[in-house]
Amino acid sequence: MPIYTSFNRMSPIHSLPVELLTTIFQLGVDSDPIPDDQIRGEPTFEVLVSHVCRHWRQVALHTPHLWTTIHFRTRAHMSRGEAYLSRNSHLPIDIYVDTCSDDDYQLRKDLLFRDQFLPVFQVVLPHINRWRELHLIVADLECKASARKVLSTCGSAPKLRTLQLWHVQNWQTSERLYNQIGPPPVVVFGGELPELKHIILQGVNLPWSRSPFLRNLTSIEFALHSDNVRMPFNLWREMLQASPHLTRLSLLFAGPRAAPSGSSTHRDGIEWWGAEPPMPDAVLAPGEPLPPSTDPVQLLELKEVQLNNLECDYLIALFRTLDAPNVRSLHLGLDFEDQDFTPFVEYLAAPPHYPSVKAHHHRSSSSTPGTDAQASRAKFPALERLSVSALRCSLPSWRALLASARGVTRLEADFAQLADGAFDVLLEPSSAPADAPSQPQAGPSSSSSTPAEPLLPLLSSVRVSGVPCKQLADLASIRRASGRRVRRWEIDEAGRDEDGDAFERETASLSAAWRKEQEAAIEAGQGKREPWRLDEPLERVVWFREEEDDDDEDDEEGAESDFGEGEGEEYAEDDGEHGDG
């Protein structure tokens, strides 16, 4: 027996029962990023643990849970996919198919392209009854045609919970996207996806009236739909009403159709579905339908909303038809050059309050819109996280939005994409009443004279770019003085300077002083020792970098390694040890 083999078997980790090692492997693979988020070229967890030593390999190969995610991006991945399926013959599987554009294929012939598209699905289609997730990305019209053929003939996927269909193509302008004319959409999966919960469509539309599986959804993400292919409003409303457990809604240049369809069956078009409710004393003709704003869809479990590249009037009209009081996270990426989003931001801060309107039922003249709760109730009163990548609006409306978001604990913003002076608004005091709920604070006590409360009084974490570090330090000082300390500062490293380094040293010094104070209190018997709490700094500066360009990733990808993307089954089953246990 080789000496290194005997040494490996003497390693303490080999004393672990197989059941415990299996559990560790399962936890590890569950914590691995999904393929879309992994650093390209790096080995996955299941590959790593299966190439440590013979014992680990045997345990890994006989743990089906490790082989449930099958990612196709290169030609070699087809044989790897077959190997994964052979190791997991019964558990649900998650499939990622990432094809490339013509330009990318000319640079890298190993990527999946037109000739490899159908063979990839020949690998996984026999297992369609086990599909749990399908993530399909195409960047070429011929690949899209093949996708249409596969998905329109494959039949039902009874266990599919997540469907992501992306057509990624550089249309260069929104006009080219709008004017793109393609074949009519096809019915996918025979219209039968009984377990579907998450739908992600980017640059892909469906035959909306023949897609009955668009119900009971918990996550909806639509992107890059020109108005002429968007869902008619009556079907959009039916989809939301049939999805009472919806928790996430993301729209990027997408949503219900704004233009009227001309149908005599259903009234639609933004002029109707986006109309304000009629006045309480309005006289309505018998049988005249009321606009949807009089009866908004109740989405009481909606927690996250993301809005990108939509027009101001469209957004106001859309949210008149929705009631989502429990939204916790809001992202705004609204940067159309010819658009001023001030009216929408004002609407979010203080939407008009309309009394319930019923046909032929009149209210008294004292019950007029906007007098009940306009100033006291924001559109999303439970908001905790606000993220803004771009927003064109006036400073007063921006301030009103921040003043209305009193529960926000995390703010993410690129102030280079906001109006000049947007950050300075955070330096201003809030007009909130003095008896507002306070944020629990740690650290040395402040002076007896309490300064005015700042905006976003519960703010504890920020992620910012486009702001001089000196201004961040000024904001930190203001919030400390008011007893509303920000605990975590995430700052774009592109703006790092001497002021930023000084700010980092200042927060480290404050945290060190706080730890000493806490330790002294514990030694004096005035507190309980909880070391994990002392490891959390009082304030901390973290520098971040924006994601590297895809070109850099591809450069890294081209470098081969022992655990390259196409590892498949290159290592023989009896390859022996590959390292210490």
Side-chain angles (χ1 to χ4, degrees), residues 52-68:
V52 171
C53 64
R54 177 177 294 169
H55 174 57
W56 280 30
R57 181 169 181 78
Q58 290 304 312
V59 173
L61 294 182
H62 293 87
T63 305
H65 185 85
L66 301 188
W67 314 102
T68 57

Side-chain angles (χ1 to χ4, degrees), residues 404-419:
S404 71
R406 293 184 51 78
V408 165
T409 60
R410 179 169 174 83
L411 174 66
E412 303 175 6
D414 181 359
F415 284 94
Q417 302 300 318
L418 275 71

Side-chain angles (χ1 to χ4, degrees), residues 161-237:
R161 295 178 61 85
T162 299
L163 176 61
Q164 176 182 6
L165 302 176
W166 279 27
H167 177 201
V168 182
Q169 189 153 335
N170 183 11
W171 297 108
Q172 296 181 342
T173 66
S174 58
E175 288 76 17
R176 288 191 62 185
L177 169 64
Y178 185 88
N179 295 320
Q180 165 66 18
I181 298 176
V186 295
V187 175
V188 297
F189 297 99
E192 296 184 18
L193 295 173
E195 297 296 323
L196 189 67
K197 298 298 180 186
H198 313 281
I199 181 77
I200 306 167
L201 301 176
Q202 176 170 319
V204 176
N205 62 300
L206 299 175
W208 307 115
S209 62
R210 293 181 291 162
S211 301
F213 49 78
L214 294 176
R215 57 187 301 110
N216 295 321
L217 301 172
T218 59
S219 176
I220 297 173
E221 182 175 336
F222 290 166
L224 301 182
H225 292 166
S226 57
D227 194 68
N228 58 321
V229 301
R230 292 181 185 177
M231 184 182 295
F233 181 79
N234 66 297
L235 298 180
W236 165 269
R237 185 176 172 89

Side-chain angles (χ1 to χ4, degrees), residues 302-319:
L302 186 63
K303 298 295 190 295
E304 180 182 356
V305 174
Q306 295 191 9
L307 304 172
N308 293 278
N309 292 358
L310 290 163
E311 296 182 345
C312 180
D313 292 345
Y314 184 92
L315 288 167
I316 294 175
L318 178 63
F319 280 93

Side-chain angles (χ1 to χ4, degrees), residues 112-132:
L112 293 183
F113 198 46
R114 299 167 184 170
D115 293 341
Q116 295 79 43
F117 191 92
L118 293 178
V120 163
F121 276 91
Q122 289 172 359
V123 173
V124 295
L125 275 175
H127 307 272
I128 192 171
N129 287 340
R130 294 198 287 133
W131 290 11
R132 178 174 55 191

Side-chain angles (χ1 to χ4, degrees), residues 18 21-22 25-26 45-68 80 82-91 567-576 578:
V18 170
L21 190 60
T22 298
F25 286 176
Q26 290 176 348
F45 179 86
E46 67 272 13
V47 172
L48 282 174
V49 298
S50 67
H51 291 95
V52 171
C53 64
R54 177 177 294 169
H55 174 57
W56 280 30
R57 181 169 181 78
Q58 290 304 312
V59 173
L61 294 182
H62 293 87
T63 305
H65 185 85
L66 301 188
W67 314 102
T68 57
R80 185 181 73 173
E82 292 174 342
Y84 275 40
L85 289 169
S86 69
R87 298 167 185 172
N88 166 29
S89 61
H90 63 281
L91 293 180
E567 91 287 328
E569 198 63 21
E570 289 87 343
Y571 295 87
E573 293 289 344
D574 58 349
D575 51 7
H578 301 278

